[in-house]
């Protein structure tokens, strides 16, 4: 299990299998390049169509509070909340799985859990590990001993951000030499890594403040 400053996590997966795991190694890289190029073309076309579609108000997106996203079905949108539980600690519930984030003691926290930035790097590492594991499974190879060593470096300037992330996949000793390139190609195209290379649209908004209703005055009161 991944360990971050003595905090242990377990990750799983939902969804179907990736057909690319069944491709020969020499075709894996070409497969992903072709798919990414095609998806990029389709996505750009859909955005242009949406912008000019009268049914969508000429492309003007309105926020109705239901967090609808253009071009996405409602079931494709995932929801969760980060809730304050004390000090610098927050709890997150994702599909019934609850975990905490906190800050180290030297940063003013209580070190009850990893930091959000550590979880960011951990999400990439575990996503790479998952794809590597599925590749091994598809080729009837053991996953025992599979590890992804991860290190990240913060930027020295502003804004605060991660500057460098380095991951080293340590495969099981049973991995044949001819499978190494295929394993690396598949693991390098995990969902989190793809997202970092093609960043999503991110909107941070402030919820509308609820205005308390004034109490009704009785007759004769001023």
């Amino acid at each position: 299990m991944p360990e971050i400053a003595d905090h242990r996590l377990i990750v799983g997966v939902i969804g179907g299998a990736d057909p690319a795991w069944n491709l020969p190694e020499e075709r894996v890289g070409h497969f992903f390049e072709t798919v990414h190029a095609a998806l990029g073309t389709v996505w750009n076309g859909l955005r242009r169509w949406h912008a000019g579609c009268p049914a969508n108000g000429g492309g003007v997106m309105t926020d109705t509070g239901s967090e609808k996203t253009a071009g996405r079905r409602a079931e494709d949108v995932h929801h969760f909340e980060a809730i304050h539980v004390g000090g610098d600690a927050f709890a997150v519930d994702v599909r019934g799985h609850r975990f905490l984030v906190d800050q180290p003691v030297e940063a003013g926290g209580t070190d009850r859990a990893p930091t959000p930035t550590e979880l960011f790097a951990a999400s990439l590492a575990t996503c790479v590990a998952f794809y590597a594991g599925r590749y091994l499974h598809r080729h009837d190879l053991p996953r025992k001993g599979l590890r992804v060593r991860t290190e990240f470096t913060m930027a020295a300037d502003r804004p605060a951000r991660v500057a460098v992330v380095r991951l080293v996949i340590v495969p099981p000793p049973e991995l044949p030499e001819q499978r190494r390139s295929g394993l690396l190609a598949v693991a390098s195209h995990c969902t989190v890594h793809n997202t970092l290379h093609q960043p999503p649209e991110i909107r941070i908004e402030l919820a509308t403040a609820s205005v308390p209703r004034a109490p009704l005055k009785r007759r004769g009161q001023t």
Side-chain angles (χ1 to χ4, degrees):
M1 292 182 290
E3 298 183 27
I4 303 175
D6 297 327
H7 304 294
R8 298 175 68 85
L9 310 170
I10 299 177
V11 296
V13 63
I14 57 174
D18 191 330
W21 289 320
N22 294 317
L23 289 175
E25 284 78 358
E26 61 272 12
R27 294 179 55 196
V28 170
H30 177 70
F31 170 84
F32 281 114
E33 291 175 1
T34 302
V35 170
H36 285 172
L39 288 177
T41 300
V42 172
W43 176 244
N44 289 333
L46 287 173
R47 292 182 65 181
R48 288 193 297 269
W49 172 83
H50 185 273
C53 182
N56 293 320
V60 177
M61 294 177 60
T62 58
D63 189 357
T64 61
S66 59
E67 295 182 332
K68 293 181 180 179
T69 305
R72 296 289 184 91
R73 301 191 304 270
E75 58 268 27
D76 290 335
V77 181
H78 305 272
H79 301 269
F80 56 84
E81 290 184 331
I83 302 174
H84 182 247
V85 294
D88 288 328
F90 290 80
V92 181
D93 285 286
V94 181
R95 297 183 298 104
H97 305 291
R98 182 180 175 88
F99 63 92
L100 298 177
V101 296
D102 199 357
Q103 295 295 320
V105 174
E106 60 270 21
T110 56
D111 202 26
R112 297 167 60 187
T115 70
T117 307
E118 290 168 337
L119 286 183
F120 161 74
S123 69
L124 176 59
T126 51
C127 191
V128 167
F130 159 62
Y131 269 61
R134 277 293 179 90
Y135 176 88
L136 295 171
H137 179 70
R138 288 288 178 179
H139 290 282
D140 296 320
L141 294 168
R143 287 179 279 190
K144 185 177 181 180
L146 173 64
R147 304 174 67 89
V148 177
R149 294 200 299 260
T150 308
E151 62 182 41
F152 68 91
T153 305
M154 301 298 295
D157 58 346
R158 295 291 181 181
R161 66 195 187 280
V162 175
V164 179
V165 181
R166 180 172 179 262
L167 300 96
V168 177
I169 302 172
V170 182
E174 295 87 354
L175 179 69
E177 184 64 30
Q178 64 269 24
R179 295 290 187 191
R180 293 179 65 89
S181 60
L183 174 65
L184 180 60
V186 169
S188 298
H189 286 84
C190 78
T191 303
V192 176
H193 195 203
N194 291 343
T195 303
L196 292 174
H197 277 284
Q198 299 184 25
E201 175 188 350
I202 299 176
R203 296 186 300 173
I204 301 178
E205 305 169 356
L206 193 63
T208 303
S210 57
V211 180
R213 298 180 59 182
L216 295 176
K217 294 182 179 180
R218 295 181 179 181
R219 183 178 298 178
Q221 288 183 330
T222 58

